[in-house]
C-alpha cells in the first residue's frame, strides 16, 4: 500500500506514518508504532500550550514554523521559514530576545516571557515567548509563542518597549509576584542590585557606548526576570529583579560587569547584590509582600552611605528584619484594636463653642502618632486601620447618642485609603449599620500630595458628599496638601497648616503666605480652620483674617473623655469657653 503525503503548515510534504485505515470499514486500522504515537502526543501537548512552534538555529534563523495563522506574516506561518526571528520582534525588544536566547543555551529551558512582536502591518503586540534546547539536536532552539497574553492583574502597568519598570511599577509587580509564588508554591527570589557610580560613568561615556551599557543592562535584567517583565530601575544605580530561584547575585554581578567592560566602561565603584528567598513564611503572603515593598522603597530612596557596596547586604537584611517586626506589631495592633482614640475640639473663636471634634489615635510603644500612621501608609496597612478607626468612632457616638448636643467628629482618612478601588463599598458596609449616626462624621483627607490622579480622588470624595459626608482637607499649605490638591478637590473645609498660623505673628513672609491661602480658600468656597493655635495672639490673628474656627492647646488638649465634649454646653459652659488641659 502506498503511503500518502500530506501538506504541513510550512508548505512542505510530510509523510503520514503508518497505513491509512478505511473509515467505511468501521475499523481504526493497525496501531501505529509507539515512537509515532509518542511523537504525536508531544506535538499535541506543544500546540495545547502555544499558538506557534518555531525552530531556529543559533543565530535566530527560522528553520521550521507551524501553528495558527497570525499577524507575523500575510500568508501561512510556513512563510516565516528562511527569515530571522528578530525581523518579527519589535526593535526595542531585540537585544532582550538575544538575552533570552542566551538563557536557553545556558539553562536549557526558559519559561514563557513577555515579548513585543511586530506584525507584518507594522503594528506591535505582546506575546509570550518560551523555549528550550535538546542535546539530540545541537545548534537548534525550539520556541513556543502564545499570542494571547493574560492581562496584568496587579497595580503595575507594563513598562514601555525595551524599558524597565520604575519604582512604583516594580513595587506593584513585586507584591503580585510574591502572592502568586506563595499561592502556587513557585520558587522565586528577589535581588536588589547596586552598581555604584553607574550614573556618573554613563554620563561621561560617548553616547553610543552609554546606550550599549543602558540597553545591555535593561535587556539582561528583563531577560532573567520572571515573565520578562519583573525588573525595575529604582534609581540611577539601583535595580530590583524578581527571578527564578536558580539565579544568584554573583551571576548577576558578573553579567553586569561584562556588559560594562564590553562597552569600554570603567566603573568607579563596585557591584553588589542582595538576594532574598521569597518563600520566607514569617508573615502571611500579603504582609510579607508589604515588608518586601517597604524594603525596596527604602533601598531606592536611600542616600549616600545608607546602602554602600560594603553595607548593602547588612543594610537590606536589617531593613527587612525591621519591617517584618514592625508589620507584625502593626497587624497585632489592628487585629486586637490595641490603640486608643482621643478627641480635640475645633471651636468657634468668637464664642468658644465646640463646632466639631477631631478623632486622633494613640498607640502604646509608637514613637509618635505621626510615625505610626506614616509607617502604616508606607506598608499599605493604612486602609485596614482607617476603616477600623471609622468603626471605633461610630461605636463611641453610638454609646453617647442620647446626648442632646452630640458633637460631630472628623476622622482622618489617608488619600491612599480613599484611592483604593474597593474603598467606597467597604466604607459603606462599615457605616451602614449605624444609620443616622454616620451623618455625624466629617472626613478629613490627609496626605493628598501622594496622589497622582487628583481628579480620581475628587471623584471619590464627591460620591461621599452626595450621600451627606462633609469633606475637610488637612494641612493646607504644607507638603501634605499642595495647591494643586486644593484647586482639584471640591471640599467643605480646609485646615491651614499650623506653622503658618504660628509664624505669621512674627514673620511677614508667613503672614503673606497665610493671607494668600485664606484668600484662595475663600474664593473656592471653603470654610477655614486654623491649626495649632496655642496663644491668644494666634486666635486674634485668625479672627482679623476672617477665619472663625480654630484648633489648638489654647482651647483644649486632646482628651479620651468624650463624655466631657458630649455634654450640653449651652447649660454647662462657663463664660462661653471650654478649657480642658488634661
Amino acid at each position: 500500500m502506498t503511503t500518502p503525503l500530506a501538506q504541513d503548515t510550512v508548505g512542505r510534504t510530510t509523510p503520514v506514518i503508518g497505513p491509512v485505515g478505511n473509515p467505511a470499514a468501521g475499523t481504526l486500522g493497525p496501531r501505529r508504532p509507539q515512537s509515532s504515537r509518542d511523537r504525536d502526543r508531544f506535538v499535541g501537548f506543544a500546540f495545547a500550550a502555544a499558538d506557534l512552534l518555531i525552530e531556529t538555529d543559533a543565530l535566530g534563523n527560522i528553520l521550521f514554523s507551524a501553528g495558527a495563522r497570525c499577524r507575523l506574516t500575510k500568508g501561512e506561518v510556513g512563510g516565516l521559514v528562511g527569515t530571522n526571528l528578530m525581523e518579527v520582534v519589535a526593535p526595542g525588544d531585540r537585544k532582550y530576545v538575544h538575552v533570552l536566547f542566551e538563557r536557553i543555551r545556558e539553562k536549557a529551558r526558559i519559561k514563557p516571557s513577555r515579548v513585543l512582536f511586530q506584525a507584518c502591518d507594522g503594528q506591535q503586540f505582546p506575546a509570550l515567548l518560551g523555549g528550550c534546547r535538546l542535546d539530540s539536536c545541537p545548534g537548534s532552539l525550539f520556541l513556543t509563542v502564545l499570542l494571547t497574553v493574560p492581562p496584568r492583574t496587579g497595580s503595575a502597568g507594563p513598562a514601555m518597549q525595551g524599558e524597565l519598570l520604575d519604582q512604583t511599577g516594580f513595587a506593584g509587580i513585586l507584591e503580585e509576584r510574591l502572592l502568586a509564588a506563595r499561592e502556587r508554591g513557585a520558587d522565586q527570589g528577589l535581588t536588589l542590585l547596586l552598581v555604584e557610580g553607574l550614573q556618573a560613568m554613563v554620563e561621561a561615556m560617548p553616547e553610543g557606548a552609554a546606550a550599549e551599557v543602558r540597553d545591555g543592562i535593561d535587556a539582561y535584567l528583563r531577560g532573567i526576570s520572571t515573565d520578562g517583565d519583573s525588573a525595575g530601575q529604582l534609581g540611577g544605580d539601583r535595580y530590583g529583579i524578581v527571578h527564578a530561584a536558580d539565579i544568584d547575585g554573583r551571576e548577576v554581578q558578573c553579567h553586569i560587569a561584562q556588559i560594562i567592560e564590553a562597552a569600554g566602561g570603567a566603573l568607579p565603584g563596585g557591584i553588589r547584590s542582595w538576594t532574598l528567598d521569597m518563600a520566607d513564611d514569617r508573615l502571611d503572603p500579603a504582609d510579607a509582600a508589604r515588608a518586601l515593598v517597604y524594603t525596596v522603597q527604602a533601598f531606592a530612596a536611600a542616600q549616600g552611605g545608607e546602602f554602600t557596596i560594603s553595607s548593602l547586604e547588612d543594610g537590606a537584611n536589617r531593613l527587612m528584619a525591621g519591617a517584618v517586626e514592625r508589620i507584625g506589631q502593626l497587624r497585632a495592633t489592628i487585629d486586637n484594636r490595641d490603640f486608643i482614640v482621643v478627641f480635640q475640639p475645633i471651636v468657634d473663636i468668637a464664642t468658644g463653642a465646640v463646632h466639631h471634634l477631631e478623632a486622633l489615635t494613640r498607640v502604646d510603644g509608637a514613637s509618635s502618632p505621626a510615625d505610626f500612621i506614616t509607617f502604616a501608609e508606607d506598608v499599605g496597612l493604612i486602609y485596614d486601620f482607617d476603616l477600623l478607626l471609622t468603626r471605633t468612632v461610630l461605636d463611641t457616638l453610638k454609646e453617647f447618642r442620647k446626648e442632646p448636643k452630640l458633637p460631630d467628629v472628623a476622622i482622618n482618612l489617608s488619600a491612599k485609603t480613599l484611592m483604593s478601588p474597593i474603598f467606597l463599598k467597604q466604607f459603606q458596609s462599615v457605616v451602614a449599620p449605624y444609620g443616622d449616626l454616620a451623618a455625624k462624621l466629617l472626613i478629613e483627607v490627609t496626605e493628598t500630595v501622594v496622589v497622582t490622579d487628583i481628579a480620581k480622588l475628587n471623584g471619590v470624595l464627591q460620591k461621599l458628599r452626595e450621600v451627606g459626608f462633609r469633606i475637610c482637607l488637612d494641612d493646607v499649605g504644607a507638603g501634605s496638601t499642595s495647591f494643586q490638591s486644593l484647586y482639584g478637590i471640591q471640599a467643605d473645609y480646609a485646615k491651614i497648616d499650623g506653622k503658618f498660623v504660628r509664624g505669621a505673628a512674627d514673620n511677614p513672609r508667613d503672614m503673606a503666605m497665610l493671607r494668600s491661602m485664606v484668600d484662595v480658600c475663600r474664593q473656592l468656597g471653603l470654610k477655614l480652620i486654623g491649626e495649632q493655635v496655642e496663644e491668644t495672639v494666634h486666635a486674634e490673628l485668625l479672627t482679623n483674617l476672617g477665619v472663625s474656627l480654630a484648633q489648638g492647646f489654647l482651647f483644649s488638649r486632646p482628651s479620651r473623655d468624650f463624655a466631657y465634649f458630649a455634654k450640653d454646653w449651652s447649660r454647662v459652659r462657663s463664660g462661653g469657653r471650654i478649657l480642658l488641659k488634661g
Side-chain angles (χ1 to χ4, degrees):
M1 181 176 181
T2 303
T3 301
L5 297 178
Q7 292 286 327
D8 71 6
T9 53
V10 188
R12 297 176 295 189
T13 55
T14 305
V16 178
I17 300 175
V20 178
N22 182 1
T27 176
L28 295 177
R31 292 176 61 86
R32 290 178 295 167
Q34 184 64 35
S35 60
S36 298
R37 288 173 56 81
D38 288 344
R39 183 200 66 184
D40 292 348
R41 181 179 292 120
F42 284 115
V43 170
F45 288 152
F47 276 113
D51 297 303
L52 285 178
L53 304 180
I54 297 175
E55 178 189 356
T56 75
D57 63 15
L59 299 177
N61 297 311
I62 297 176
L63 308 176
F64 171 88
S65 64
R69 184 189 295 269
C70 66
R71 299 164 60 190
L72 297 178
T73 177
K74 293 181 179 179
E76 299 293 334
V77 294
L80 293 172
V81 173
T83 65
N84 192 284
L85 183 68
M86 296 303 165
E87 296 175 25
V88 294
V89 173
D93 267 8
R94 288 172 185 169
K95 188 181 289 287
Y96 158 57
V97 172
H98 277 298
V99 173
L100 295 181
F101 276 24
E102 288 297 323
R103 298 289 300 164
I104 296 173
R105 284 189 280 268
E106 290 175 10
K107 302 291 185 179
R109 177 179 179 270
I110 62 167
K111 293 182 178 180
S113 297
R114 292 172 187 261
V115 171
L116 204 59
F117 284 91
Q118 186 159 290
C120 55
D121 61 2
Q123 297 295 312
Q124 297 179 354
F125 63 93
L128 293 179
L129 177 69
C132 69
R133 62 173 175 80
L134 301 175
D135 291 339
S136 59
C137 300
S140 286
L141 301 180
F142 299 92
L143 310 175
T144 61
V145 179
L146 181 63
L147 298 175
T148 303
V149 178
R152 289 248 63 87
T153 57
S155 59
M160 296 293 289
Q161 173 189 331
E163 295 181 354
L164 301 180
L165 296 167
D166 61 14
Q167 180 185 338
T168 301
F170 183 72
I173 203 77
L174 172 60
E175 183 171 356
E176 178 185 333
R177 293 295 181 222
L178 184 139
L179 293 174
R182 292 283 188 90
E183 182 179 326
R184 302 170 190 166
D187 202 6
Q188 294 188 341
L190 163 69
T191 291
L192 299 182
L193 182 68
L194 173 63
V195 188
E196 198 166 48
L198 175 66
Q199 190 74 9
M201 182 200 75
V202 168
E203 290 174 355
M205 295 177 74
E207 180 54 36
E212 278 295 310
V213 172
R214 287 193 299 263
D215 295 346
I217 291 176
D218 288 4
Y220 170 68
L221 295 182
R222 287 181 64 204
I224 65 172
S225 73
T226 302
D227 286 358
D229 64 356
S230 304
Q233 184 166 13
L234 312 178
D237 57 1
R238 297 158 198 256
Y239 298 86
I241 315 101
V242 179
H243 52 73
D246 63 349
I247 294 174
D248 62 42
R250 288 186 298 274
E251 174 186 349
V252 177
Q253 293 176 46
C254 181
H255 274 279
I256 297 297
Q258 290 173 356
I259 291 168
I260 293 172
E261 183 179 352
L267 195 65
I271 304 174
R272 189 80 174 190
S273 63
W274 174 73
T275 300
L276 176 76
D277 180 4
M278 290 170 61
D280 188 329
D281 59 359
R282 284 176 290 174
L283 296 173
D284 68 45
D287 285 349
R290 293 184 175 102
L292 281 175
V293 169
Y294 180 78
T295 301
V296 167
Q297 290 172 336
F299 170 69
Q303 301 293 324
E306 294 179 70
F307 282 102
T308 63
I309 290 299
S310 60
S311 69
L312 172 58
E313 186 169 357
D314 288 343
N317 283 332
R318 185 172 59 253
L319 256 178
M320 183 65 186
V324 167
E325 180 179 2
R326 291 182 70 186
I327 288 174
Q329 293 170 346
L330 180 54
R331 173 60 69 188
T333 296
I334 293 172
D335 291 346
N336 301 326
R337 287 199 178 193
D338 193 16
F339 62 92
I340 61 173
V341 178
V342 296
F343 301 90
Q344 187 174 28
I346 287 79
V347 304
D348 185 303
I349 298 175
T351 67
V354 176
H355 183 271
H356 68 274
L357 306 177
E358 180 182 5
L360 304 166
T361 54
R362 300 290 184 265
V363 180
D364 288 340
S367 56
S368 74
D371 287 345
F372 175 84
I373 295 299
T374 298
F375 184 72
E377 289 179 331
D378 288 344
V379 299
L381 282 173
I382 192 64
Y383 179 87
D384 295 356
F385 185 78
D386 281 350
L387 291 179
L388 181 58
L389 174 63
T390 302
R391 185 178 289 111
T392 302
V393 169
L394 285 169
D395 285 342
T396 302
L397 287 169
K398 183 178 180 180
E399 181 182 352
F400 291 92
R401 67 180 307 156
K402 293 183 179 180
E403 292 290 341
K405 297 290 185 179
L406 188 66
D408 296 340
V409 181
I411 54 172
N412 289 287
L413 295 185
S414 167
K416 290 184 178 180
T417 294
L418 292 161
M419 291 292 283
S420 168
I422 61 173
F423 165 74
L424 285 173
K425 183 177 180 180
Q426 291 280 66
F427 185 75
Q428 186 60 37
S429 70
V430 168
V431 303
Y434 297 90
D436 293 342
L437 276 178
K440 304 295 290 183
L441 295 180
L442 287 80
I443 295 174
E444 193 164 312
V445 186
T446 65
E447 296 301 326
T448 59
V449 73
V450 303
V451 177
T452 56
D453 191 344
I454 292 294
K456 182 178 178 181
L457 174 60
N458 185 53
V460 173
L461 295 176
Q462 297 322 301
K463 290 179 181 178
L464 291 169
R465 293 180 82 203
E466 288 170 5
V467 294
F469 291 102
R470 290 153 292 170
I471 306 298
C472 179
L473 299 179
D474 192 25
D475 293 334
V476 170
S480 59
T481 299
S482 66
F483 276 95
Q484 179 188 3
S485 305
L486 195 61
Y487 278 109
I489 296 174
Q490 293 173 271
D492 302 286
Y493 297 91
K495 297 181 80 171
I496 301 171
D497 185 70
K499 70 178 181 181
F500 293 107
V501 176
R502 298 193 313 274
D506 304 308
N507 189 320
R509 293 177 64 86
D510 283 343
M511 175 59 84
M513 285 292 297
L514 182 58
R515 286 185 185 278
S516 297
M517 282 185 281
V518 170
D519 289 342
V520 168
C521 290
R522 188 172 289 122
Q523 290 293 325
L524 294 174
L526 295 167
K527 298 175 184 176
L528 290 166
I529 301 168
E531 290 185 299
Q532 298 180 23
V533 177
E534 299 177 355
E535 300 176 14
T536 303
V537 65
H538 301 150
E540 292 173 348
L541 184 150
L542 290 172
T543 299
N544 292 336
L545 290 173
V547 178
S548 60
L549 300 176
Q551 177 181 11
F553 289 174
L554 178 64
F555 306 103
S556 173
R557 292 181 180 275
S559 171
R560 297 180 64 177
D561 190 3
F562 185 84
Y564 177 82
F565 297 115
K567 293 176 181 178
D568 184 350
W569 286 96
S570 65
R571 289 182 294 176
V572 303
R573 186 171 66 245
S574 174
R577 301 185 66 83
I578 65 168
L579 186 64
L580 183 64
K581 294 296 186 183

